[in-house]
Amino acid sequence: MAELADAAELGVSELVANVVRHVPDRRCTVLVLRQTEGVRVEVTDGFSAPVSARTEVPEDSEGGRGLLLLDAVVDKWGVESEPSGGKTVWFECRT
């Protein structure tokens, strides 16, 4: 699955960077699941604040493009609330 490596690496780095920037305790769990037709990555944290993808970011802004970038390089992504609080942000890359 070498053809997925760049997209998966970028996706993981963006999601973990969001945890470092926005989650108070900066803790998360990263799960990488190999699937028949690709890979699924899940990043779970204990912070229940919602994830928001901006549709427009000012050109001079230093941030705010992570989820737009994720959307551009993966096949699909989403967010699920965790029953114990927190959330899981996930994405899938397919061959």
Side-chain angles (χ1 to χ4, degrees), residues 10-75:
L10 180 65
V12 169
S13 67
E14 287 299 328
L15 295 184
V16 172
N18 282 347
V19 170
V20 171
R21 286 186 193 107
H22 303 293
V23 175
D25 67 4
R26 297 184 175 174
R27 292 176 162 238
C28 68
T29 302
V30 178
L31 179 63
V32 180
L33 302 163
R34 183 175 178 160
Q35 299 178 319
T36 305
E37 296 180 0
V39 66
R40 177 181 173 101
V41 175
E42 300 178 356
V43 177
T44 303
D45 65 63
F47 191 47
S48 59
V51 172
S52 63
R54 298 180 185 177
T55 55
E56 293 184 25
V57 180
E59 285 185 29
D60 60 346
S61 177
E62 292 185 16
R65 294 176 184 84
L67 293 177
L68 291 172
L69 186 57
L70 181 72
D71 190 57
V73 300
V74 304
D75 291 297

